[in-house]
């Protein structure tokens, strides 16, 4: 975890997420939730941001080769950026469909891979943007209006 | 109804979260797909699941789920119990099946989140 206080009172926090590590999965989202609560963000927004952060974190654990989750908070917006180093999503439209999943057998046994991750994130966030290139990686940026 | 009432009435074993047994719960949910729970799970409610790995505690913490019941005496590893203790999540165990537990909770007045 790396943290710094940005200019103008912005809070920036970056969490590195290890691919395939289910044991620590969810810790970044838990931290984000605690931090937003401490900042006095209202309960409903904290819940939406926590759900979205958790799903984004699980996507990194389940599907990526490793990446990071970044939280930026300013007086107007909460922004969460999930970035990874691949493998990239072949068909984003498909990935956005509820029930579509490419999760491994192992992930499914643990109760993941319901194909709800990205749709959940979209539903919870006020703005949602996803860019992906096969062989390069995926960048997801979501915002919550305060 | 408090979690303590549920523990007494359903004869549940407390694995973790002894300090939080006086929390009030009104709704319940039963599901083993974690993403599904993330989308529909009950705030301050009871969640019945056969999943016992540490991620169930993360899901409960993120959603403010008050208590988890593990059915059919499924063994729960120490790491999950420790994590529940750390996060203040009540973790309960029962020899009854999820079906039976949900039926009993419903008849005690614990409703579904959609009816709340």
């Amino acid at each position: 975890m790396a943290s710094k206080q940005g200019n103008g009172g912005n809070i920036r926090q970056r969490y590195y997420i290890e691919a395939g590590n289910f044991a620590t999965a969810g810790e970044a989202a838990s931290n984000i939730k605690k931090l937003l609560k401490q900042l006095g963000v209202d309960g409903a927004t904290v819940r939406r941001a926590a759900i979205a952060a958790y799903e984004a974190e699980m996507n990194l654990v389940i599907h990526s080769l490793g990446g990071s989750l970044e939280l930026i908070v300013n007086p107007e917006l909460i922004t969460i950026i999930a970035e990874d180093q691949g493998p990239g999503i072949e068909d984003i439209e498909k990935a956005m469909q509820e029930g579509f999943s490419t999760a491994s057998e192992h992930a499914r046994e643990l109760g993941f891979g319901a194909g709800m991750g990205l749709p959940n994130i979209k539903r919870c966030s006020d703005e949602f943007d996803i860019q992906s290139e096969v062989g390069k990686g995926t960048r997801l940026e979501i915002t919550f209006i305060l | 109804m408090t979690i303590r009432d549920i523990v007494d009435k359903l004869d549940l074993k407390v694995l973790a979260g002894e300090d939080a047994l006086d929390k009030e719960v009104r709704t319940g949910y039963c599901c083993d797909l974690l993403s599904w729970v993330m989308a529909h799970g009950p705030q301050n409610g009871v969640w019945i699941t056969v999943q016992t790995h540490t991620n169930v505690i993360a899901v409960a913490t993120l959603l403010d789920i008050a208590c988890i019941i593990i059915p059919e005496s499924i063994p729960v590893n120490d790491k999950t119990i420790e994590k529940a203790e750390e996060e203040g999540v009540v973790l309960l165990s029962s020899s009854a099946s999820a079906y039976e537990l949900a039926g009993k909770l419903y008849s005690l007045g614990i409703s579904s989140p959609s009816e709340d």
Side-chain angles (χ1 to χ4, degrees), chain A residues 90-107:
Chain A
E90 249 172 61
D91 186 339
I92 292 182
E93 218 172 290
K94 248 190 183 168
M96 289 302 302
Q97 283 172 16
E98 277 195 17
F100 177 83
S101 177
T102 58
S104 67
E105 248 342 281
H106 176 58

Side-chain angles (χ1 to χ4, degrees), chain A residues 96-146:
Chain A
M96 289 302 302
Q97 283 172 16
E98 277 195 17
F100 177 83
S101 177
T102 58
S104 67
E105 248 342 281
H106 176 58
R108 285 173 203 259
E109 277 164 18
L110 295 173
F112 301 104
M116 297 284 290
L118 287 173
N120 263 359
I121 296 172
K122 191 169 186 189
R123 194 176 47 82
C124 286
S125 58
D126 291 316
E127 277 168 51
F128 176 97
D129 179 64
I130 186 164
Q131 309 287 336
S132 189
E133 199 176 323
V134 173
K136 284 209 164 152
T138 301
R139 185 182 190 279
L140 169 77
E141 181 171 336
I142 47 173
T143 52
F144 304 85
I145 299 163
L146 291 172

Side-chain angles (χ1 to χ4, degrees), chain A residues 17-22 60-67:
Chain A
I17 314 294
E18 205 185 317
N21 189 346
F22 286 94
L60 290 169
V61 171
I62 296 166
H63 300 286
S64 84
L65 303 169

